[in-house]
Amino acid sequence: MHIDHIGIAVTDIEEAAKVYKLMGLEIVNIEEVPSQKVRVAMLPLGESKIELLEPTDPESPIQKFLDKKGSGIHHLAVSVDDVAAELAKLKEQGIRLINEEPVPGAGGALIAFVHPKETQGVLLELCQHE
Ligand code: CO
């Protein structure tokens, strides 16, 4: 396992990427993820990525986060081989999940979120790449 990416809630992807770009990181992909109502930019960093998340809709969970807490670190994503299997394991232990089933994420990944109450405040994303 490794950290797949760190998700950061931002109001403006280009503005948010400024410092990373000056440091030599690059946005390799920008896409919309309708399931999360966000525009997502990925900046590879070693075996991980920085994921900049910009809301596309007032009902976006990211917009709600921005309204409540302002921009900043939103979630931690861990790469797993099989999201559905991990979810089943956690569910069996009574762990509260945001997504009971995997949903499509950025870059064609299958993702699911664990409730932050179960991790002492960290929104944890499980992320499976094809
Ligand atoms: Co993410």
Side-chain angles (χ1 to χ4, degrees):
M1 275 192 191
H2 64 270
I3 293 179
D4 188 84
H5 62 266
I6 295 171
I8 303 175
V10 305
T11 54
D12 179 331
I13 282 175
E14 289 305 324
E15 179 63 23
K18 199 171 59 185
V19 169
Y20 306 119
K21 282 181 167 174
L22 288 171
M23 293 171 69
L25 302 192
E26 279 175 62
I27 295 177
V28 293
N29 188 40
I30 296 188
E31 69 179 290
E32 275 201 45
V33 179
S35 72
Q36 308 293 320
K37 300 187 173 78
V38 285
R39 243 176 106 225
V40 180
M42 287 292 189
L43 295 87
L45 177 56
E47 65 179 0
S48 304
K49 290 166 266 214
I50 291 173
E51 180 185 71
L52 302 177
L53 303 153
E54 183 191 286
T56 55
D57 187 287
E59 289 306 306
S60 167
I62 294 300
Q63 185 59 56
K64 290 181 177 157
F65 181 91
L66 289 171
D67 291 344
K68 222 162 120 187
K69 299 188 176 170
S71 28
I73 294 182
H74 177 260
H75 66 270
L76 176 64
V78 171
S79 77
V80 298
D81 290 335
D82 185 341
V83 180
E86 294 297 332
L87 288 176
K89 215 189 305 179
L90 296 173
K91 224 187 285 184
E92 205 178 278
Q93 297 300 317
I95 303 294
R96 275 169 296 176
L97 304 170
I98 306 249
N99 305 106
E100 301 269 330
E101 303 293 336
V103 296
L110 276 179
I111 67 167
F113 287 99
V114 177
H115 200 285
K117 287 244 160 71
E118 301 285 9
T119 52
Q120 306 247 326
V122 176
L123 178 58
L124 178 65
E125 174 185 337
L126 311 178
C127 185
Q128 172 189 348
H129 291 285
E130 292 314 310

